[in-house]
Amino acid sequence: MPAVSNRARARERNNVLYRTEFLSLNQPLKSTQEPRSLLRRANSQGGPAPSQSEGSKEQRPSQQLPEEDCMQLNPTFKGIAYNSLLAIDISLSKRLGVCASNSAAWGNARSMVNLIGITGHGIPWIAGTLICLVKSSTLAGQEVLLNLLLALLLDIIIVAGLQKMAKRKGPYDVSPGILDYLTMDIYAFPAGHASRAAMVSKFFLNHLVLAVPLRILLILWAFLVGLSRIMVGRHHVTDVLSGFVFGYIQFRLVESLWMSSNTCQMLISMW
């Protein structure tokens, strides 16, 4: 028996397959065994046999998907409330966009609604203020008009900056007009016409002596300007409401930066 074992050991030493550099040749390949095991398992269950590509796919480690591609199974209350309000805002804005195109429900009144919106545009207001400032001969009138001009310029700068940051599009694919490009009123949030109408109406109510009917008409005008922007499909309801809020904030800012009569006369003399 010892002689037999010695012969077997000598035979193994002489066999090249038992050398260290050839040991991998004696071991079966895992890649060929796993598809066969999958094939036998599928045959025993009576289902279709998986292909080799499917077996290789199962061997790959699962890649983690980006967070935005994953469905949140437990959304927060704030997320549910925000998405619900956003859906209501979009739905209501689309229903009120009755003049978004000529084929819309009120397409025949689109020109008249656009005309109401132009009354709240920045270019006509700045041009009118400059003309009145040139023709004004009283110190009080020049003071009010110069501060109004400052408020209009401040409104254009603030709204253009906020729209550039938000970059929110309107409910309908309505391209901005030439006047909108001049005042950089391209995006939807916040509504520049609504902020300007609210700021101008509050400015006139605070600094001009007006009768009660004129005050009511001034408030009604500001409301109609904001509504017209929704009807033509340029803004959402929340865009217009936020425009009214920003218009009031701009009025308070101009009141805090109010230029006195002496300052206005110095600026006019420099001009």
Side-chain angles (χ1 to χ4, degrees):
M1 294 297 292
V4 175
S5 61
N6 290 333
R7 284 193 209 130
R9 289 175 185 173
R11 208 179 297 118
E12 290 175 359
R13 282 196 300 269
N14 295 329
N15 193 354
V16 294
L17 293 177
Y18 284 93
R19 295 183 183 178
T20 55
E21 58 267 29
F22 298 112
L23 284 177
S24 60
L25 298 176
N26 293 330
Q27 299 178 1
L29 295 176
K30 294 182 179 180
S31 61
T32 58
Q33 282 186 350
E34 288 182 1
R36 290 176 183 174
S37 62
L38 291 172
L39 182 61
R40 286 196 296 268
R41 197 180 308 156
N43 290 333
S44 62
Q45 294 177 359
S51 61
Q52 188 174 357
S53 60
E54 292 178 354
S56 61
K57 289 180 181 178
E58 291 178 1
Q59 294 174 10
R60 295 177 184 174
S62 60
Q63 298 179 354
Q64 187 175 1
L65 295 175
E67 186 177 354
E68 58 269 13
D69 293 339
C70 300
M71 182 177 64
Q72 294 183 358
L73 297 179
N74 295 317
T76 60
F77 176 76
K78 291 182 179 179
I80 295 174
Y82 174 76
N83 292 330
S84 301
L85 291 176
L86 186 62
I88 294 172
D89 179 33
I90 295 174
S91 176
L92 185 60
S93 301
K94 285 185 175 293
R95 288 188 178 183
L96 292 176
V98 292
C99 300
S101 62
N102 293 327
S103 60
W106 290 13
N108 297 329
R110 179 177 172 82
S111 300
M112 185 181 65
V113 175
N114 275 325
L115 185 61
I116 296 175
I118 291 176
T119 60
H121 203 281
I123 298 297
W125 275 101
I126 292 176
T129 304
L130 287 174
I131 293 172
C132 294
L133 184 60
V134 170
K135 293 186 175 182
S136 178
S137 58
T138 62
L139 297 179
Q142 292 175 355
E143 178 183 352
V144 172
L145 289 171
L146 200 57
N147 282 280
L148 177 60
L149 181 63
L150 172 64
L152 292 171
L153 295 175
L154 189 65
D155 172 76
I156 291 177
I157 295 172
I158 292 176
V159 170
L162 291 173
Q163 287 187 359
K164 191 66 175 178
M165 288 189 295
K167 291 184 178 181
R168 187 187 188 189
K169 295 183 179 180
Y172 290 92
D173 189 12
V174 180
S175 58
I178 298 176
L179 295 178
D180 295 329
Y181 281 108
L182 290 176
T183 56
M184 296 174 289
D185 190 4
I186 301 173
Y187 296 100
F189 179 86
H193 291 66
S195 67
R196 198 170 301 112
M199 186 265 297
V200 169
S201 60
K202 181 63 178 174
F203 188 93
F204 285 169
L205 290 174
N206 203 50
H207 294 285
L208 297 182
V209 180
L210 299 174
V212 175
L214 291 178
R215 288 176 173 268
I216 296 174
L217 286 177
L218 194 60
I219 297 173
L220 183 62
W221 165 78
F223 172 76
L224 289 177
V225 168
L227 181 61
S228 67
R229 303 302 287 174
I230 301 174
M231 294 176 67
V232 298
R234 282 282 283 120
H235 296 281
H236 298 87
V237 176
T238 53
D239 300 333
V240 173
L241 293 178
S242 61
F244 288 150
V245 173
F246 281 114
Y248 179 77
I249 294 174
Q250 289 166 10
F251 165 76
R252 301 304 302 177
L253 181 61
V254 171
E255 288 292 308
S256 63
L257 300 175
W258 186 267
M259 293 182 295
S260 62
S261 179
N262 294 331
T263 306
C264 293
Q265 292 303 314
M266 183 182 65
L267 292 175
I268 293 174
S269 62
M270 291 173 58
W271 183 29

